[in-house]
Amino acid sequence: KNSAKAMEKELVTCSLQEKEKTAIERSQIFKIPQRKDLETKVIVVLGKAGMGKSILVQKICQDWSNGEFSQFEFVFWFDCKQISLPEKKYSLKELLLEFFIKPQEGSKEIFEYILQNPDKVLLIFDGFKGLHDHENFPRCSASQPEKDLCSIKELLSGLIQKKILNGCTLLFTARPKDKLYQYVSKVDKTIEIVGFSPQQRELYVTKYFEESLYCDSALKLIKEYEYLFSHCYSPVMCRFVCFLCETVLEMGEKSLPSTLTEVLLKFFQQKIMFMQTDFTTTQNQESLATLARLAWCLGEKHQSAMKSDLIPSKEVKEFALKYGFFLPFAFPRHSDSEEEEFGSTFSDFVIQNFLCALHLLLAEELKDKNLTKYLSFLSKKKKPYNWLDLMPRFLAGLMFLQDDPYFCSLSNEDEKQSTKKQKTLLKYIRRLQINTLCPERLLELLCCVYETQNNYLLQHVALRLEPELSFLGIVLTPPDVHVLHSILKRSRKEFSLDLRNSSIDVQGLQALVSLRNVTSFRASLSDTVRLWKSLEQTKDYELLKASTEKFVLDPFKAKTMKDIIDLSNLVEMQEKMMNCVQEASGCTSYEIPAIRNLRKLEFALGPACGLQGLLKLVKILAAFPSLQHLDLDALSENGIGDEGAKSLSEVFPTLASLETLNLSQNKITDLGAENLATALPSLSSLKTLSLYNNNICDFGAENLAKVLPAMTSLRVLDVQYNKITGVGAQQLTDSLRKCPHMKNLVMWNPTIPYGVLEHLHQLDSRISV
C-alpha cells in the first residue's frame, strides 16, 4: 500500500474546542479509565508556546523520582528540539541509554529488561512538532527497529505504530493549532494547559517580588498596563514582564512599555546593556544581527536548535550563551571513541520570534515592499509562517519604533528609511479587503495593528470591521480579547459577536459584552452561564440584565450531552434571575430573551446518548414558548425509540408554537407511533411532521390516520421508508379525504407495491409517488 494512503486511515482530526474540558490534578495524568489492554498508551499535552509544558514534564520527572507514578520503573524525557535535527540518527538503545542518561554499568541488561517490560516505561517527548507535519511523517521501515539507526521521526513512527516497545506509555507535548493532527488510531487522553487566571497572574507576580523592596508597587504597576497584564496569562510572558518591571523600578522609573514589542526590545536592551562597555557595544550589535539571521534561518525550517559548530563565529556563540539567548546540550555518541558533539537551542520561543522579526528589518537584502509578505493576512492562502506565530506582530511593532533610541542604534537607519517602511505597511493595510479575511487572519491583523500603536491604523481597521464578527472555533486568549475590546471601542458601528467555542475566559467575555456598541452576542452556554453567575455573585444586576438582553441562542444545535446539560442550566438560571431582576428593578416577572425567542432546536447526540439526552431535554422544552422547529434527525441517528417518542409526546401540549417536527431515523415502531398519534392533535400550530425511515407498520399508520382530520394545521406528513404495506397506505388515503387542509402525503415504502401506490396517487394527487 502507498504509505500516505495507509497513514490516512490512522489520521484523526480533533477539534479541542468541541470537547468538554475538566480540570485535572497532576496525579491523574496517567489514569485512563476503561483501558485495560497492554498496548501502547498515548497521552498528548497541548499548550501554546510558553504555557509551561516543559515545566510540567520536569515536575512529572521530579515527582516520579520522589516515589509518585510508581507504575513506571523507567522515565525518559527528551527535548524534541535537541533530538530532531535531520542529520542525526539513533538506535532505540542509544536514544534511551546514551542521549538521556548513560548507566555506569549493565547497559545491555538494562536495555533487555526495558524491551521485556515495556509497560513499566514512560517516554516523554517534549515539543513534538510531528503532530502538525503529517505530510512528511514516515512509517518505520527498519527491519530491527530496536537496534537499527533511524531518524527521530522514524523512531517516533515505530513507537506510535506499536512496532517498537509496544505497551509503553508515550507522553507528547505540542502546540495546538486549532486542529490537531494525530498519527494514531486513538489518543487515550488529551490535556490542554490553558495558562494563568487573573488570580494566578497576581500570585505569580507577588511570588516573583516576594523578597523585593518593590513587592507592593510591582503588582500595582503591572495591573495598570492591562495589555501587559493580559499577556501574563502565559507563564513565560509573565516572567518577561516581571523582569522588565523589576528593572524599571530599580532605575526609579514609573512606567512600563505599552506593547509586547517594546517589552522584548527593552528586555534585550537591559540584558545586554547591564554587562557591556563602549568597547563591546559595536561587537554586541553585530553579534545580535548575526543571531537574528540565525534565528530566521532555523525558523524557516521550523527549528530552534542546531549543531554548535554551525554557528558562524565563536563571538556570536559566546554572545548568545553569555546573555542566555542560547542553551547548550550534548549529543549521544555512537561509541566511546567518537568525539563528543554539542548543540545549541534558543532558550525561549518568544526570543526566537522577536529575533526573526528583527532580522527582517535589519536585513539589507530585503526591500521594504517585501516585508509585508511576512505578515500574511491574505485569506484563502496557507499561512507560511504559522510556526513563528508571534513574528508578524513583532515585525509590525518594530516598524513603528523609529523613535526608540536603542532600536535606532541597532538598525542604523535614518528617519527617511524608517518612515518609508511605515508607509509601506500603511499602504498594504489600506489596500486589504478586511471584510474578506477569515476570522483567524482578522484576529492576526488586529493584533499586528495594535502592536504599532498607530492611531490612524487602529481607527482605519476599527471603521472597516463588519457588523457581524464571528470567532467561532477560534481560540481567544486574554491578549486577543484585550486587542479586540480596544479596537471595537474605537468604532461607531454596532456589532454582533459570535464567541462560541473560543475558550474565552469569564473576564474577557464580560469585557466584550459590556461594550455599548456590542448589541448582541453568541457564546458557549457554559461560558455564558458562568458569566451570569459571576455577575449575580458581585450583584452587578445592571450588567447582568443588559448581557441577558444581548445574548442570542437561536438557532441552537445540541451535539453532546454537555450541550443539553448547559441548556438546562440556562433555563435554571432564568428562574434564579427572576429574583435578581425583581430585586434590582421591582419587576415581578422576567424572561431571558434568548430563551423566549428560541425558534429552532436541532438535536444530534447520536445513538450512544440520544435517548438519555432527549429524556433530559423534554423536561425543559416548555421553557421555550416560541419554539417552531424541533429537529431530531441526525446523520448518526439519535435512535430515541418508542420510549423517547412517548416521553416527547407528553410535552406536546406545552409546544403551542411548534410548526415543524422532524422525528426521522429514530427507530420508532408502532408503539411509539401510537403514543405520538394520541398527543399530536395538541400541537395546534404543527404544519410539517416527518417520520421518515423508522420502523412503523400498518398498526402505526392506522393510528396516525385516525388523528389526521383533527390536525387542522398540518400541511405535510412524511412516512417514507417505514414498513407500511398497502393496507396502511389505504387507511392513510381514506383519512386524507377528510383533510382538505393537507397539501402533501409522502409515503413511499418498499413494502407497498408500486401499482398500489400509483393507484392511490391517481385517487388523490396529494400523495407523492
Side-chain angles (χ1 to χ4, degrees), residues 514-644:
S514 62
L515 285 170
R516 291 194 176 194
N517 59 341
V518 171
T519 55
S520 67
F521 76 98
R522 297 196 70 154
S524 300
L525 292 185
S526 53
D527 293 338
T528 306
V529 170
R530 205 175 294 122
L531 168 65
W532 290 345
K533 284 181 177 177
S534 170
L535 294 172
E536 182 191 10
Q537 287 168 1
T538 56
K539 297 192 174 182
D540 191 346
Y541 297 136
E542 189 179 338
L543 182 54
L544 177 59
K545 187 172 184 296
S547 64
T548 59
E549 288 171 357
K550 293 180 180 184
F551 179 61
V552 175
L553 183 61
D554 185 57
F556 182 74
K557 185 171 185 176
K559 295 191 284 186
T560 64
M561 195 65 194
K562 181 178 181 296
D563 291 333
I564 301 296
I565 293 168
D566 288 343
L567 195 61
S568 299
N569 291 339
L570 188 72
V571 172
E572 186 184 326
M573 190 72 196
Q574 178 171 255
E575 295 168 11
K576 288 183 180 178
M577 284 190 60
M578 287 180 184
N579 301 326
C580 298
V581 174
Q582 186 175 349
E583 184 181 329
S585 61
C587 296
T588 52
S589 65
Y590 182 75
E591 287 181 302
I592 294 175
I595 293 178
R596 184 181 65 236
N597 298 328
L598 179 66
R599 287 175 170 77
K600 183 175 181 180
L601 199 162
E602 292 180 69
F603 181 92
L605 269 65
C609 300
L611 177 58
Q612 181 191 0
L614 182 75
L615 295 178
K616 191 166 183 66
L617 177 65
V618 294
K619 293 176 183 177
I620 59 168
L621 278 178
F624 306 105
S626 302
L627 187 64
Q628 296 176 350
H629 189 137
L630 181 58
D631 189 348
L632 274 76
D633 182 14
L635 287 174
S636 57
E637 301 189 11
N638 291 308
I640 65 168
D642 295 335
E643 186 182 349

Side-chain angles (χ1 to χ4, degrees), residues 77-93:
W77 166 42
F78 303 102
D79 185 339
C80 287
K81 294 195 299 288
Q82 298 176 11
I83 62 173
S84 60
L85 295 182
E87 66 270 19
K88 303 302 291 185
K89 289 184 178 289
Y90 317 91
S91 68
L92 180 65
K93 183 179 178 183

